[in-house]
Amino acid sequence: MDPIIQGKETWRYRGEKKDMYQVEHDELFASIRKGEPINDGVWMAHSTLMAIMGRMAAYTGQEVTWEQALNSQEVLVPSNLEWTMTLPSPPWRSRGRPSSRELT
């Protein structure tokens, strides 16, 4: 299916259909050859922090700021992991039920 934008002027992409994964690789390799490598590290870090913020908000029922997430002292992983251990699951927040968890 071709992307179509409808509105005042209807628009449809009519260009060559390319494999998005191949295009991504082509762009990366071209940038390296040019001496200006694409670095999405900051974007990936921000995306990951945003997901962590969503998790924090879901588990606490509170609004979470960027600064709160960056400065959180919450430990998400036990200090000594073992293959055979069972990890506890935190309680889910549900509408109308107060949270026993607070932001740390």
Side-chain angles (χ1 to χ4, degrees), residues 54-55 58-61 89-95 97-101:
R55 178 197 161 280
Y59 285 172
T60 65
S89 296
W92 284 93
R93 169 107 171 125
S94 63
R95 184 178 298 163
R97 192 179 89 210
S99 174
S100 60
R101 296 177 59 143

Side-chain angles (χ1 to χ4, degrees), residues 2 10-11 18-19 21 36 41-43 52 54-55 57-58 63 68 71-72 75-76 80 85-86 90 92 102:
D2 292 334
T10 301
W11 180 87
K18 297 182 179 182
D19 179 335
Y21 302 109
E36 300 173 3
V42 171
W43 181 87
I52 292 169
R55 178 197 161 280
E63 184 175 302
Q68 286 174 315
N71 295 312
S72 174
V75 177
L76 300 175
N80 51 354
M85 71 188 301
T86 302
W92 284 93
E102 295 296 324

Side-chain angles (χ1 to χ4, degrees), residues 29-99:
F29 298 146
S31 74
I32 292 169
R33 288 185 192 105
K34 188 177 176 184
E36 300 173 3
I38 295 170
N39 183 350
D40 289 331
V42 171
W43 181 87
M44 291 185 295
H46 287 178
S47 176
T48 300
L49 183 59
M50 198 70 133
I52 292 169
M53 289 171 67
R55 178 197 161 280
M56 292 169 75
Y59 285 172
T60 65
Q62 299 173 18
E63 184 175 302
V64 180
T65 67
W66 196 261
E67 290 301 317
Q68 286 174 315
L70 283 174
N71 295 312
S72 174
Q73 300 301 309
E74 185 175 14
V75 177
L76 300 175
V77 180
S79 57
N80 51 354
L81 290 171
E82 297 179 20
W83 286 107
T84 58
M85 71 188 301
T86 302
L87 298 174
S89 296
W92 284 93
R93 169 107 171 125
S94 63
R95 184 178 298 163
R97 192 179 89 210
S99 174

